[in-house]
Amino acid sequence: TITKQVNHPLHIQKAQRQEMEQVARLIRASADWYASFVHPEDLNEHFVDTAWQERNYQCRDFYLGFNEKKQAVGTLSLQYFGPYAYIGYLYL
């Protein structure tokens, strides 16, 4: 079997405040998946709104991944606790 390696570049950059709507859109895209097993009080961490964007931008570093067409295709966040970093909101 011959396989061909396909190169799909992914450019990752730190999100600016004005890009948080793109971050929120990526997170909301799969929010319905969580409804059956996440406690209802925690669903607001998946059905994110403008208030969530502002609050979380202040306490986390968000990154966006862009494809070759410059479309946002993924996000992740880092939140720091002393010498440790917590990876959250990992969506591709």
Side-chain angles (χ1 to χ4, degrees), residues 6-14 26 63-76 90-92:
V6 178
N7 185 11
H8 296 284
L10 180 66
H11 175 74
I12 299 172
Q13 68 185 42
K14 189 172 180 184
L26 290 163
Y63 294 85
L64 281 166
F66 295 92
N67 65 13
E68 66 278 356
K69 296 177 184 175
K70 300 185 190 263
Q71 298 167 317
V73 295
T75 189
L76 71 85
L90 178 56
Y91 290 80
L92 272 178

Side-chain angles (χ1 to χ4, degrees), residues 2 4 7-9 12 19 23-24 26 29-30 36 38 40 44 46-47 50 53 58 65 68 78:
I2 299 174
K4 179 180 176 185
N7 185 11
H8 296 284
I12 299 172
E19 295 172 312
V23 169
L26 290 163
S30 62
S36 66
V38 170
N44 63 351
H46 301 279
F47 291 101
T50 304
Q53 293 173 41
Q58 299 302 318
E68 66 278 356
L78 293 175

Side-chain angles (χ1 to χ4, degrees), residues 5 78 80:
Q5 183 177 357
L78 293 175
Y80 302 96

Side-chain angles (χ1 to χ4, degrees), residues 10-13 22 24 30-32 41-42 51 54 62 66 68 73 77 83-84 89:
L10 180 66
H11 175 74
I12 299 172
Q13 68 185 42
Q22 291 180 72
S30 62
D32 288 333
E41 290 178 12
D42 295 327
E54 186 61 39
F62 283 89
F66 295 92
E68 66 278 356
V73 295
S77 69
Y84 303 102
Y89 292 106

